[in-house]
Structure formats: C-alpha cells, structure tokens
Amino acid sequence: MKLSIRAKLLIGFTILLLLSSLIQAFAFNLSRGYISSLIDNNQTLQAKKGALEIQDFFTGINEVSSGLARQYKEEVLNAGTSGSVGNFVAINNYSIANNEQINKITYLAKSGRELYKFDQHGELASDKLSYEVPTDAFTNATEGKTAISKVYFLDGELGPHIDIFSPAYDKNHNVSGVIKMQIKLESLRKSLENVKYGEKGYMYVVDNEGRLITHPSQEFVNERPNLMSRNIIGLTLQNKDVATKDEIYTNENKVPVFAKAEKIPGINWVAVVEQPLSDADGYLIFIRNIYITTLFGATILLLIIALFLSENFTRPIRKLQKEAESIGKGDFHNVEIIKTGDEIESLSLSVSSMVNQLLARENSIKKENQEMTTLLQSLYDAVIGLDSENHIIAFNKAAEKLTGYTAQQVSNKHIDEVLELHYDDEKILFETYNNQSSMLISKLREKGLNMTNQRGEHLTISVTTSPILFEDKKTGSIIAFHDMTKEHQLEEMKIDFVSMAAHELRTPLTAIRGYAQLLEMQKASLMDESGKELIQRLVISSESLSNLIDNLLSVARIERNKFDVEKKPIKLEGLINNVVETVKHQALTKKQELELNIGKDLPTVMADPFRITQVILNLVANASTYTNEGGKISIAAFRKDNTLQVSITDTGQGIPSEAIPKLFKKFFRVSGVLEQGSKGTGLGLYISKSIIEMHNGKIWVESELGKGSQFSFSLPIATDDDIKNYQEHASMDIVNRSGQHVIIRR
Amino acid sequence: MKRILIAEDDFYIRDIYARIFINAGYDTTTAFDGKDALDKIRINPIYDMLLLDILMPRMNGIDVLKAIRNLNPPKDQTPVYIISNLGQESIIEEAFQIGLDGYVIKAQVTPQRIVDEINLFLKKHAKNAI
C-alpha cells in the first residue's frame, strides 16, 4: 500500500490516540469502580451512623426507663402502701420535663391496670386511670423483655409515636409490673437530621413492617406510607444481600435515588440513606467529563502536532523529490541544500554533489559529442552511422551531398532503402558489403560500386564498413563512402586511351610484322649473315611489340570486366610441356637448366587452357628473364589438398620484400631491375593474377633476395559435377559449317 | 591451283597477304573492301576460298558473308575465313551462325600461320568433299 509520510504519521498518531483513549477508558472504568465503591461505602457508613444514632436514642430511653424502674422498686414497691411516693412523682415529672422525647410515663400492673401515669402536666389523678390493652409488646414486658409497640399517630400531635414497655422488678427480682413510656419520634427525626449525606442526601427510618417512622419531610411521614414496596427495605429486614439494582428506585417525589439501608439491631428497624441518583452519579459524570475533555483536547493537540510534524518532515522531502524529478528530466540545475540538520540535509547534499557530477559529465559528453559531430561533418568522405538494425542514425554533410538526401529525410530508415548500390547489374545490399570475409569485398573496394543519387548522377563509390562494438556486442556500424567517380572516370579514360592507342598501333604493326616475316622467308637467303641477323632482330622486336599491345588490350578488357575465361576439364601436363617447348630456346641461349617435376596422375581442373598457358608461360618467361646465365628454373605440379598447385622456382636475384605486395598490381615493376631488359611491361603478373582469380584460384610468391623466387598458383580440382555440367553445356557451343566445335577466343 | 579472294582494306596488309599466298602457290585475287569483294564474287564465282577482313569501308566482312550465303540460286558454298582483330568475338559468333568456316586473329598469328591454317583447312575440306 502506498502512503505518504504524512498519512503514515497521521495513522501512527491515530493509533496512539486510540490506545490512549483505550487506556483512559480502562482507567475511567477503574476509577469509576473505585469512586462508586467509595460513594457506596460512604453511604453505607452514613446508614450505619444513622442506625447507631437510633440505637443511642433507644439506649438513652432505656437508661431513663431502668432508672425509673429502680426508683419505682425502691420508692413504691419496697415502701409498700404506707410510704410516701412524693419523691417518686418528682423524679417522673423531672424525667418528662428533661427528656423531650418522653411524652408520657405509665406504670402498669401485670394485669394491665394503670397504677401511675405522668405527662407534661404532672401526675394524673387516680380517677383518670384505666386499663392497658394487652398488646404483644405489653405481654413481652410482663415476661421480662423490653418491647416496643407499633408506631401510631396521635391526633393533634406531630409525628408518630411509639410505646416502650419495660418490665419492673420487685425485690425478689420478679416482674411486678410494666413501665410504659410513650415516645415522640419527632425528636428522633430531629436528631437524624444531623445525618446528612452529600448535597441532597438524607436518612429515613422504617419499622419492621415498612411503615415510615422518620423522614426529613414531616408531611410524608404524616401520610403514613408503607415503604415495603422498596425492595431494599424488605431485603434488609430479611438480612438478605441487596443488589445494586435494588438500591436504585424512584422515591415519593418521582426522583430516581440511590439508597443504602442498615438494619437496626434489637428493634428491627431499617435506616435508609437516600440521595438522588444524579448526585450519586454526578461525581462520576464530572470525572467522565474530565476524561472526555482531556481526550478531545489531546486529540486536537495531537492532530495539530501530527500535521505540523508531518508538514515539517515532508516539506523538505517533497522539495527534494521535486528536485530529483527535474533532474530526472535532464535539468541539471544547482540543487538547493535543505538545511534541516538531519538525514534529509545529508541526502540533499548527496543529491547536490551527484547533480554536479552529472552536470560535469554531461558537459564533457556534450563537448565530446560536439567534437565528434564537427569531425564527422567536416569529413570530405560521406559517413553514415547505423544502429544494430541497420537503420540510419548519423548522416554527415558529405553523405547529404553524395546521396542528395538530407539527414532528416533518411533518419531511422534502413540503409538499403536509402542507398541502392550496384556492382555491374547486381544489386549489392548492406549485408554483402558489410561482410568482411566475403570474396567480393576486395573486388568491390578496388573497382567501386555504382550508385545513382537523388540528383540522377551516376557515381562510383568505394565503401568501407566498420562495426561499432560496445562491451563486445555489436551496436551498429559506420559506413564510409569515398566518391571514386572522378578517379573512376579518369581510370576509364586511361583505359579507353590505352585501348584505342593499342588498336590504332595494331594495323601498322601487323604490316611491319608481315613484311618482316616476308623478308625473313623470301629474302634472307639472299643476304649475308649480318643481314640475316638484322632481319631476325626486326622479327623479334615486332613480335614483342605485338605482345605488349596484346597485354595492354588484355588489361583494358580486365578493367572493363570483359575478359573471359572458357573453362573446360583439362590436364595441365600438356600445357606445361608446351610452355617448356616454347621457352626452351630462350633458356638454352642463357644456359639455364630447366627442371620438370610433374606428379603422376595429376587431377583434372576446370580451366581455360589458352589462359592458363598464358599464365605459366608468363611465370616461366619471367623466371628465365630474371635469372642469370647458368641458373636453374624448376617447374613443379602437384596435388595439394583440394587444389592443383603449380610452382615455378628460379635461382634468380629474388624480390625485395617491400615489393612483394605490389608485385601483382598493374604497371608495377621492381625498381632496380628495369635495366635488365625491355621485356617487362608490368602487366604480365597482373594479367596472370586476374586469370587465376577468374578460375577461383590463388597466385602468390615467396622470395629471398639473392637466392631466388618461387611463384605458385593453385587451381581448384574439378569435381564430377563440374565435368558433368561442362558436358551438358558443351552442346551449346558454336559450330562451324562442317559441324566442328569452335571456341572463340576472347 | 586453288583460287583465293582476299578482302582487306589496308593496302600494306593486303599486299602482305597477296604476296604470301602467291608465294604459297595460290591463284590470288584481292579486293580493297567488302563491296569490291562481293562484286568480284558475283561477276566471277570461281573462288575456292574467301578471306575476309571484318572492318572495311562501304561493306564489312559479315555483310559480304551474309550476301554470298544468301545468293539465290544456288547458294554460294564457298568456304569463308574471317581475319579478325581482338575484341570482335561477338561478331565472329554471329558469323558462325551465318555460315563461317573459320577465323584467324590478325595480331596473334604471323602471315605464314594464316597460310598454314588455310592449307590445312582446304586439305580437310577436299577430303570431306570426296
């Protein structure tokens, strides 16, 4: 997933926030539990406190009651009927006056008859005394147990009342009667008002039957409600566990409240501390609000920080990114250093130095490129650059001039689409002239290729190609064209001139030769020896002039590709023997030894006997010419691999090594041997080479200065196919009128 | 004695051929060009052998050959040799198709070689005729 740094930061912060809110929520829950239990405990404590208050209230009453019981025993029972009860009355009156909660005190006989009765006004007259209704509480008291009556209300008096029945004992420690004290619970309410809880918390008390005994609101008490419907009361009375849900109920004012109850031991009443739920939860809500507020604040703060930080982080990165993008597009400007003092600064430093290096490198490449372009454009020869697919990628001015195309026109075109080169009538493709090993290539170099350019000019060009290698892989080629047209035309003119001159010379020469022969044939016998010698010299000279002219014409024909060979299967032995016969005379006059080493069963070759004779004759005649008197000339013919090789070895003066490469070129003669005689024309070896090459053979020389030379040529041995082919085509030969095959010598 | 007609426009060469053939015992007639040769053949068709140069003014050797081979009737069957120069191979080829008996290349042979060649040819020709 692709996310910007800002998004990642924001996500990170969000996760942080979520975690912290989870922790907060957990902490809140913990504290809520703690606070709840705190509130809970506190309220319970208050309830207990209330219960104690009530117990104290009753303890106080009991103390009064037991004091009165003692007084009653001593003053009334022990004294008997004779004694005065004045002290006893005074104590009772005092007790009522000083104990607000005591409304009445009544002394009862076990039968229930009222014996004495005191109220706020003092002792009641005996005629106002009556009988007590024997309630459970009264009965309990007669049995020695202090008991409390049910709550009851008195007309015209505020609040409920109860009666407390306590047993009164005689000196024998028997229950002689019961002391009944009427208690105003109004006073209990007052003392319970001190029990406060929180803002609005208060306490109320119900008796064992659920009747409301005290409540801060007197009116509610006066309504005399039974609050047993509040589960908390019933459950507490039965000493059962009170669930939290039972501690919450809606009170008489329809306010949801939270309550805690405590059973008062002994009297089985229940003290309940009640406070509005809103108050109980108020604290929690307050804490929750603090949590929420801090969380919200923290969120906003974190967001701001995250935005600020991410902006701070990403601004330099974005800046660097923009720089990098423009660098990628080739805009090598100076990169501004981002001063953040951190990794980004060092990154921008690296980028900057990288750009500087790139810039330097680009400049040097540009410079080199410019140099190369200038070099290329200023070349006189046409230069074309090709890619690996042989499409044109460079085309210099000379190339434009040569072809008539502009560089734009040919850009990315295949070379063969642009340049149509011909050799004779054959179209030569790039594949061919690029093939360095091709047999054709040297010929093409030498003779040039024909081409018609866009302006319709016919040109002769020579082509050189070189591959462009990059890490040993060919990535393209460079073709250089040299316009040979003028040279070629000059060459043609030269050949034309030579050819024409030779032809023109021939007719008078033929006449000279004819007359010389006639003279030799018909008149020599009439002459003396010196006349005969003169005639002989005339014949020989005219003969050699004729040979020279023949050679010149042959060269002209070779140059024009009009020199043909008529190949047929032949054996070379006969030819060699003929040559030996021809040169025998010359060799004899120079006292040279002629040696023949012809192998047995020489293979047949496809050759033109006339031309090959010409070659052998030329080589042997040369050997004889350049070998001193008494030297030795050997002619060897033998099979070598798939060729038939002929070697002519002499013991002549040899050829300087620097002359060897030029030996087979036309008009070349080894300097320093010019004086040897007029025989050499510098054409013989050139013609020989041409003839051998037309036979797909090879001709070469090995020589050592002062020791002699060896000229050799080899011809491919005729295959059965060659012979068969020849025989099939022989029938197409020209025949004369007598039906004989005629070979026309060309 | 064999009768030979030699057509050659160059005076000296004609002279040499005439001398050498006379010397060899031929009844020799010369013509200075093709037209002259054809006229001579038409007027007096008695020759055993014709020797024609190729390049001659007015009428060349090939046209002479064509003309005599097409003489009507009867077709002239006189053997014809052409004396040619180098570089005329295609013309010789054409001549053989018209009905040539042989050719010699002027520059490559001596006049005596031509006589020898003609002698040999006529000897063979005579044998074939018998």
Side-chain angles (χ1 to χ4, degrees):
Chain A
M1 192 164 59
K2 271 184 91 174
L3 278 177
S4 68
I5 289 179
R6 173 173 288 192
K8 282 177 187 165
L9 263 172
L10 284 176
I11 288 172
F13 273 112
T14 310
I15 290 168
L16 219 61
L17 262 173
L18 281 173
L19 279 174
S20 75
S21 23
L22 272 175
I23 290 166
Q24 288 225 35
F26 181 64
F28 174 71
N29 267 336
L30 273 184
S31 50
R32 189 174 68 172
Y34 174 69
I35 288 163
S36 298
S37 70
L38 216 63
I39 294 169
D40 216 271
N41 288 342
N42 213 349
Q43 212 163 331
T44 309
L45 212 67
Q46 290 298 326
K48 279 190 172 143
K49 210 173 140 191
L52 279 177
E53 199 89 17
I54 294 164
Q55 264 187 309
D56 283 353
F57 178 78
F58 281 103
T59 308
I61 291 167
N62 278 341
E63 272 168 16
V64 172
S65 160
S66 57
L68 289 177
R70 216 167 31 247
Q71 286 294 323
Y72 178 61
K73 187 172 84 181
E74 287 169 9
E75 304 265 339
V76 179
L77 295 181
N78 290 352
T81 47
S82 60
S84 165
V85 292
N87 202 21
F88 168 69
V89 170
I91 284 170
N92 276 302
N93 282 336
Y94 174 85
S95 295
I96 288 173
N98 286 296
N99 288 296
E100 196 191 357
Q101 64 271 39
I102 302 169
N103 207 28
K104 281 177 189 166
I105 304 170
T106 312
Y107 294 83
L108 299 167
K110 279 178 92 175
S111 60
R113 184 170 56 93
E114 293 176 347
L115 302 175
Y116 304 97
K117 198 171 185 176
F118 303 89
D119 64 10
Q120 283 130 324
H121 308 290
E123 191 186 1
L124 259 73
S126 49
D127 60 331
K128 293 216 174 158
L129 298 175
S130 62
Y131 280 84
E132 173 72 21
V133 178
T135 57
D136 286 349
F138 172 77
T139 313
N140 277 340
T142 58
E143 285 162 9
K145 278 182 267 175
T146 303
I148 297 166
S149 73
K150 287 179 182 174
V151 175
Y152 56 93
F153 289 84
L154 292 177
D155 293 338
E157 280 205 51
L158 211 57
H161 292 74
I162 50 163
D163 296 330
I164 297 176
F165 296 87
S166 319
Y169 297 95
D170 59 16
K171 61 181 176 188
N172 301 322
H173 213 70
N174 294 318
V175 176
S176 69
V178 171
I179 304 169
K180 174 189 168 189
M181 285 196 282
Q182 189 183 50
I183 303 297
K184 281 195 277 182
L185 291 179
E186 172 64 13
S187 57
L188 182 61
R189 183 180 67 91
K190 274 179 187 161
S191 66
L192 286 181
E193 265 176 2
N194 299 328
V195 183
K196 288 249 170 194
Y197 186 72
E199 291 273 313
K200 291 174 186 164
Y202 49 83
M203 173 174 265
Y204 67 87
V205 181
V206 294
D207 71 0
N208 56 348
E209 285 171 11
R211 282 189 294 259
L212 186 64
I213 297 172
T214 69
H215 193 277
S217 159
Q218 192 57 50
E219 288 123 57
F220 185 46
V221 177
N222 289 341
E223 282 172 25
R224 303 175 197 179
N226 190 311
L227 298 182
M228 213 54 174
S229 61
R230 297 177 182 176
N231 285 343
I232 189 171
I233 291 164
L235 289 168
T236 307
L237 279 173
Q238 291 164 44
N239 291 322
K240 282 184 181 163
D241 284 341
V242 181
T244 310
K245 70 173 169 50
D246 293 323
E247 293 174 338
I248 295 166
Y249 56 88
T250 309
N251 74 0
E252 67 283 356
N253 295 324
K254 316 249 185 266
V255 176
V257 292
F258 179 68
K260 283 283 170 186
E262 192 67 29
K263 194 177 173 186
I264 302 151
I267 50 175
N268 283 345
W269 287 2
V270 174
V272 181
V273 175
E274 180 186 279
Q275 71 167 329
L277 202 56
S278 60
D279 276 20
D281 283 348
Y283 192 54
L284 278 176
I285 287 164
F286 173 68
I287 288 175
R288 194 187 64 197
N289 285 347
I290 286 177
Y291 274 124
I292 287 168
T293 312
T294 52
L295 201 61
F296 187 68
T299 307
I300 288 173
L301 208 66
L302 274 175
L303 269 176
I304 291 168
I305 291 170
L307 282 173
F308 177 74
L309 276 182
S310 66
E311 178 64 19
N312 236 16
F313 278 145
T314 56
R315 196 193 303 118
I317 293 173
R318 277 196 310 248
K319 202 170 165 189
L320 209 56
Q321 186 197 358
K322 261 187 196 163
E323 299 267 20
E325 268 171 17
S326 71
I327 291 161
K329 283 173 190 157
D331 177 14
F332 298 147
H333 56 279
N334 278 326
V335 175
E336 195 188 320
I337 309 294
I338 297 161
K339 292 228 160 67
T340 53
D342 54 17
E343 291 90 335
I344 292 169
E345 181 173 334
S346 45
L347 181 61
S348 83
L349 273 169
S350 314
V351 170
S352 168
S353 84
M354 183 186 83
V355 167
N356 287 340
Q357 280 183 21
L358 278 176
L359 199 62
R361 202 161 297 176
E362 201 206 10
N363 281 339
S364 87
I365 288 170
K366 269 184 188 165
K367 189 170 155 255
E368 258 171 56
N369 208 5
Q370 189 58 42
E371 285 166 1
M372 289 308 293
T373 310
T374 311
L375 182 70
L376 192 67
Q377 294 299 353
S378 60
L379 282 177
Y380 175 74
D381 280 345
V383 176
I384 298 175
L386 302 182
D387 64 12
S388 55
E389 305 282 298
N390 299 333
H391 291 117
I392 295 173
I393 49 170
F395 203 74
N396 74 351
K397 284 220 169 65
E400 289 184 342
K401 203 174 152 196
L402 184 84
T403 59
Y405 286 110
T406 65
Q408 262 181 325
Q409 285 173 313
V410 297
S411 178
N412 278 324
K413 282 194 179 161
H414 194 275
I415 181 69
D416 288 332
E417 278 177 53
V418 175
L419 283 179
E420 284 199 17
L421 302 177
H422 292 90
Y423 182 71
D424 286 340
D425 290 330
E426 193 188 340
K427 190 169 171 182
I428 308 287
L429 295 177
F430 176 73
E431 280 303 309
T432 314
Y433 60 80
N434 187 39
N435 185 358
Q436 304 294 333
S437 58
S438 129
M439 286 281 284
L440 206 54
I441 196 84
S442 59
K443 220 191 236 175
L444 296 183
R445 289 258 168 77
E446 204 178 308
K447 302 256 170 105
L449 287 162
N450 297 321
M451 178 191 130
T452 306
N453 71 9
Q454 283 304 95
R455 291 185 293 271
E457 294 164 344
H458 299 287
L459 303 173
T460 306
I461 54 173
S462 79
V463 184
T464 333
T465 62
S466 18
I468 303 170
L469 296 174
F470 185 70
E471 288 172 352
D472 289 341
K473 264 179 81 182
K474 192 186 161 192
T475 58
S477 313
I478 293 286
I479 318 177
F481 295 90
H482 178 64
D483 186 355
M484 291 174 41
T485 312
K486 281 201 179 123
E487 296 158 45
H488 199 73
Q489 280 168 352
L490 271 175
E491 186 76 8
E492 293 253 296
M493 280 167 70
K494 197 171 79 187
I495 293 164
D496 283 351
F497 173 75
V498 167
S499 165
M500 195 194 72
H503 273 294
E504 288 303 313
L505 287 170
R506 174 158 267 160
T507 310
L509 179 63
T510 311
I512 293 169
R513 282 178 72 201
Y515 283 117
Q517 204 184 20
L518 278 176
L519 199 59
E520 191 186 28
M521 281 167 57
Q522 294 175 3
K523 305 295 176 191
S525 53
L526 305 176
M527 292 188 188
D528 59 6
E529 280 307 306
S530 77
K532 278 179 192 163
E533 199 185 334
L534 290 179
I535 293 169
Q536 183 66 39
R537 289 189 177 180
L538 179 63
V539 170
I540 291 170
S541 298
S542 59
E543 199 83 13
S544 67
L545 182 56
S546 177
N547 275 336
L548 170 62
I549 289 172
D550 277 356
N551 280 346
L552 280 175
L553 282 169
S554 289
V555 169
R557 294 163 74 80
I558 289 167
E559 293 292 309
R560 286 178 176 157
N561 296 321
K562 285 189 176 162
F563 194 85
D564 284 337
V565 290
E566 297 280 341
K567 285 186 238 176
K568 63 180 189 181
I570 54 163
K571 299 255 180 194
L572 286 193
E573 295 99 310
L575 304 187
I576 295 168
N577 284 326
N578 285 346
V579 171
V580 168
E581 284 305 312
T582 315
V583 296
K584 213 185 228 164
H585 180 71
Q586 191 190 340
L588 264 175
T589 53
K590 288 187 85 174
K591 295 188 181 107
Q592 289 163 336
E593 191 191 334
L594 267 179
E595 192 186 68
L596 263 179
N597 286 314
I598 296 175
K600 279 180 189 166
D601 294 329
L602 281 189
T604 304
V605 289
M606 291 298 291
D608 182 329
F610 179 76
R611 297 296 187 203
I612 295 299
T613 303
Q614 220 178 323
V615 173
I616 301 169
L617 185 59
N618 177 246
L619 295 178
V620 176
N622 279 350
S624 174
T625 306
Y626 296 108
T627 301
N628 294 334
E629 283 195 9
K632 185 178 162 188
I633 295 155
S634 21
I635 304 165
F638 51 91
R639 183 184 181 135
K640 189 168 188 190
D641 300 331
N642 285 330
T643 62
L644 174 61
Q645 187 174 322
V646 178
S647 294
I648 292 105
T649 316
D650 63 45
T651 56
Q653 57 219 49
I655 303 157
S657 56
E658 68 268 20
I660 287 177
K662 302 180 198 159
L663 210 56
F664 293 98
K665 304 220 158 151
K666 59 180 181 257
F667 300 121
F668 178 80
R669 283 199 303 183
V670 180
S671 62
V673 295
L674 198 62
E675 312 85 48
Q676 286 291 319
S678 57
K679 273 236 159 184
T681 58
L683 294 176
L685 286 177
Y686 174 71
I687 295 167
S688 296
K689 182 180 177 247
S690 301
I691 291 170
I692 296 300
E693 280 176 358
M694 279 180 218
H695 283 87
N696 302 322
K698 274 188 199 159
I699 187 166
W700 69 96
V701 63
E702 292 153 276
S703 183
E704 202 176 326
L705 211 55
K707 286 200 173 170
S709 311
Q710 184 182 60
F711 281 84
S712 307
F713 68 84
S714 64
L715 295 175
I717 292 167
T719 62
D720 291 345
D721 281 349
D722 289 335
I723 297 167
K724 210 172 136 194
N725 264 346
Y726 171 77
Q727 284 164 349
E728 277 167 15
H729 288 85
S731 56
M732 288 166 69
D733 274 1
I734 294 156
V735 288
N736 67 6
R737 279 207 309 140
S738 320
Q740 290 161 322
H741 290 286
V742 182
I743 293 167
I744 298 167
R745 180 61 49 213
R746 288 168 195 269
Chain B
M1 192 184 279
K2 300 283 184 189
R3 295 189 186 90
I4 189 165
L5 176 65
I6 302 167
E8 165 65 60
D9 58 329
D10 187 89
F11 171 81
Y12 296 106
I13 292 174
R14 193 166 65 239
D15 179 49
I16 291 165
Y17 288 161
R19 283 168 186 267
I20 205 151
F21 272 100
I22 291 165
N23 192 44
Y26 282 85
D27 180 352
T28 308
T29 311
T30 59
F32 55 84
D33 64 19
K35 185 92 172 53
D36 186 28
L38 193 60
D39 287 344
K40 284 182 168 135
I41 295 162
R42 278 184 178 154
I43 294 161
N44 198 11
I46 52 155
Y47 302 105
D48 300 304
M49 184 78 209
L50 296 180
L51 208 54
L52 301 173
D53 188 17
I54 293 176
L55 283 175
M56 290 182 291
R58 294 208 290 177
M59 193 175 204
N60 67 33
I62 300 299
D63 287 340
V64 176
L65 177 67
K66 256 186 219 165
I68 63 164
R69 288 288 183 250
N70 293 332
L71 273 183
N72 208 12
K75 284 184 181 173
D76 196 317
Q77 299 302 322
T78 313
V80 174
Y81 252 64
I82 270 184
I83 314 167
S84 81
N85 275 313
L86 277 173
Q88 295 172 329
E89 293 79 13
S90 51
I91 300 173
I92 295 167
E93 231 177 87
E94 191 194 339
F96 272 113
Q97 277 156 20
I98 296 165
L100 187 68
D101 293 272
Y103 75 99
V104 286
I105 295 172
K106 222 188 275 183
Q108 284 176 348
V109 292
T110 58
Q112 186 56 49
R113 282 280 304 278
I114 297 175
V115 175
D116 294 345
E117 173 105 28
I118 300 295
N119 278 344
L120 193 68
F121 172 79
L122 284 175
K123 219 181 264 175
K124 273 190 191 165
H125 191 68
K127 253 191 210 159
N128 288 347
I130 293 161

